[in-house]
Amino acid sequence: MEAREAEFLSPYASCSANSRGREREEIECDIRTVYQRDRDRILHSKSFRRMKDKTQVFLAAQGDHYRNRLTHTLEVSQIARTIAKALYLNMDLVEAIALGHDLGHTPFGHAGERVLDKVCPLGFSHVKQSLRVVERLEKNGRGLNLTWEVRDGILNHRTNGTPHTLEGQVVRYSDKISYIHHDMDDAQRAGLLTEDNIPITLRMLLGGNTKERLNTFVHDIVENSRGKNKIAMSEEIEEGLHDLRELMFQDVYLNPAAKSEEKKAEHVIEELYTYYRKYPEKMSEEYQRLLADGEPEERVVCDYISGMTDQYSLEKFKDIFIPKRWRGREKR
């Protein structure tokens, strides 16, 4: 497989044989490349499975078809794989980065992230937390021991990131394209947005529906990146993507109808943080081990809370703060 990569991939692709390697050396697999193993490790991790019950945009959405953090991750992966295949890049590396890029997200999406960043004196970022998950938290504190290229892509997947591989750059674009695409689709399903809300000039440039716009973005990246050592969009289409994102912030991401429950969610996260800072011994055993290893208490509390799903955080809040019905032995 490494020989086939060298023969068929673009000269700008990241070949498995040229990886900078892992922090801890280990015997390599005889049938999987290093990036295939990284993808598999992420896919089988506990933090990956927990994303199925973490908010993407619509908190506690009532409906079977709204995206969650896991479905967002899968859509990012598919878009990134499509681009990587067209550009003869390393699809295994792209997939590993895409599947791992949001592992550190909090319950309740960016609302939970904002609260932890506000209350924790060390700060909190889901990007850095995703890297911490794969380097430290998974496997009972041993981490997943991923390759340098995958960790670099995870750390730099946001718009202001600077991935060192073309595969990481593909995921960086795919993440933005994906959330704009599917969040708009969800917003239309929720009745918050219609195609008429999108300026006609944008629809003429990018496409008349979400499917057409996704097709435009993917093709534009492929056409403007083929045979080059940088992933890029045309200036006109990238500006259109930016305008679409601004529209989403105006009409959806900051829309009171979509965010009506966020204050409650923020209160839950803040109260849980305060409680576990006061009673760190109440956290589960794996986090007790982190404290015993000398990790800062504030950071470990963030580790614990950010690893919760929406539902689990609500259950913990209810268990801690809501009085339980008392049942005594009545005399008859």
Side-chain angles (χ1 to χ4, degrees), residues 173 200-207 213 216-217 220-221 223-224 232-245:
Y173 267 112
I200 186 63
T201 52
L202 269 183
R203 281 182 277 161
M204 291 176 64
L205 173 66
L206 303 176
R213 288 189 287 272
T216 297
F217 295 138
D220 188 77
I221 288 178
E223 291 165 6
N224 286 276
M233 300 180 80
S234 66
E235 185 176 340
E236 184 180 32
I237 297 300
E238 186 153 22
E239 184 176 342
L241 178 64
H242 175 78
D243 291 343
L244 208 58
R245 183 174 181 270

Side-chain angles (χ1 to χ4, degrees), residues 155-207:
L155 182 62
N156 289 288
H157 77 265
R158 296 196 75 171
T159 302
N160 59 359
T162 53
H164 290 78
T165 65
L166 294 196
E167 289 81 2
Q169 293 175 34
V170 167
V171 174
R172 176 175 164 269
Y173 267 112
S174 299
D175 182 37
K176 183 187 295 187
I177 291 170
S178 176
Y179 73 69
I180 290 174
H181 165 73
H182 63 54
D183 291 351
M184 180 166 286
D185 185 47
D186 282 353
Q188 291 179 356
R189 179 175 293 106
L192 297 176
L193 195 70
T194 69
E195 286 295 324
D196 291 336
N197 294 115
I198 304 172
I200 186 63
T201 52
L202 269 183
R203 281 182 277 161
M204 291 176 64
L205 173 66
L206 303 176

Side-chain angles (χ1 to χ4, degrees), residues 37-265:
R37 296 186 76 192
D38 284 359
R39 175 203 60 201
D40 295 349
R41 291 177 184 189
I42 292 169
L43 189 65
H44 292 295
S45 68
K46 292 188 297 183
S47 50
F48 184 82
R49 295 194 294 275
R50 289 196 297 265
M51 288 194 293
K52 73 181 185 300
D53 189 25
K54 289 193 177 188
T55 293
Q56 173 60 24
V57 170
F58 295 96
L59 192 152
Q62 296 298 310
D64 294 334
H65 302 119
Y66 291 101
R67 272 74 168 192
N68 55 45
R69 190 60 58 179
L70 180 60
T71 57
H72 160 71
T73 294
L74 296 176
E75 291 186 38
V76 173
S77 177
Q78 187 55 52
I79 292 170
R81 280 175 56 85
T82 299
I83 295 171
K85 187 172 185 178
L87 296 175
Y88 294 93
L89 299 179
N90 195 316
M91 288 195 293
D92 295 321
L93 174 55
V94 158
E95 189 172 20
I97 295 170
L99 294 181
H101 82 280
D102 268 356
L103 293 178
H105 244 297
T106 59
F108 311 119
H110 290 287
E113 181 178 16
R114 286 194 302 270
V115 172
L116 288 185
D117 187 49
K118 180 184 75 172
V119 299
C120 178
L122 302 177
F124 183 88
S125 161
H126 86 270
V127 175
K128 294 179 180 178
Q129 189 67 17
S130 294
L131 187 63
R132 180 166 166 81
V133 166
V134 300
E135 288 186 337
R136 183 75 169 101
L137 301 183
E138 276 290 337
K139 297 293 183 182
N140 295 317
R142 299 191 305 275
L144 299 179
N145 197 30
L146 304 181
T147 56
W148 181 89
E149 291 79 11
V150 173
R151 289 182 284 121
D152 172 75
I154 290 173
L155 182 62
N156 289 288
H157 77 265
R158 296 196 75 171
T159 302
N160 59 359
T162 53
H164 290 78
T165 65
L166 294 196
E167 289 81 2
Q169 293 175 34
V170 167
V171 174
R172 176 175 164 269
Y173 267 112
S174 299
D175 182 37
K176 183 187 295 187
I177 291 170
S178 176
Y179 73 69
I180 290 174
H181 165 73
H182 63 54
D183 291 351
M184 180 166 286
D185 185 47
D186 282 353
Q188 291 179 356
R189 179 175 293 106
L192 297 176
L193 195 70
T194 69
E195 286 295 324
D196 291 336
N197 294 115
I198 304 172
I200 186 63
T201 52
L202 269 183
R203 281 182 277 161
M204 291 176 64
L205 173 66
L206 303 176
N209 55 51
T210 54
K211 179 181 177 180
E212 291 179 3
R213 288 189 287 272
L214 178 59
N215 188 63
T216 297
F217 295 138
V218 170
H219 276 81
D220 188 77
I221 288 178
V222 172
E223 291 165 6
N224 286 276
S225 305
R226 185 177 283 121
K228 299 178 182 178
N229 64 350
K230 180 182 179 181
I231 304 301
M233 300 180 80
S234 66
E235 185 176 340
E236 184 180 32
I237 297 300
E238 186 153 22
E239 184 176 342
L241 178 64
H242 175 78
D243 291 343
L244 208 58
R245 183 174 181 270
E246 289 296 311
L247 176 71
M248 289 296 292
F249 268 96
Q250 174 185 312
D251 290 357
V252 179
Y253 299 142
L254 302 179
N255 190 319
K259 301 298 180 180
S260 59
E261 299 296 296
E262 275 197 356
K263 288 297 180 184
K264 299 176 186 177

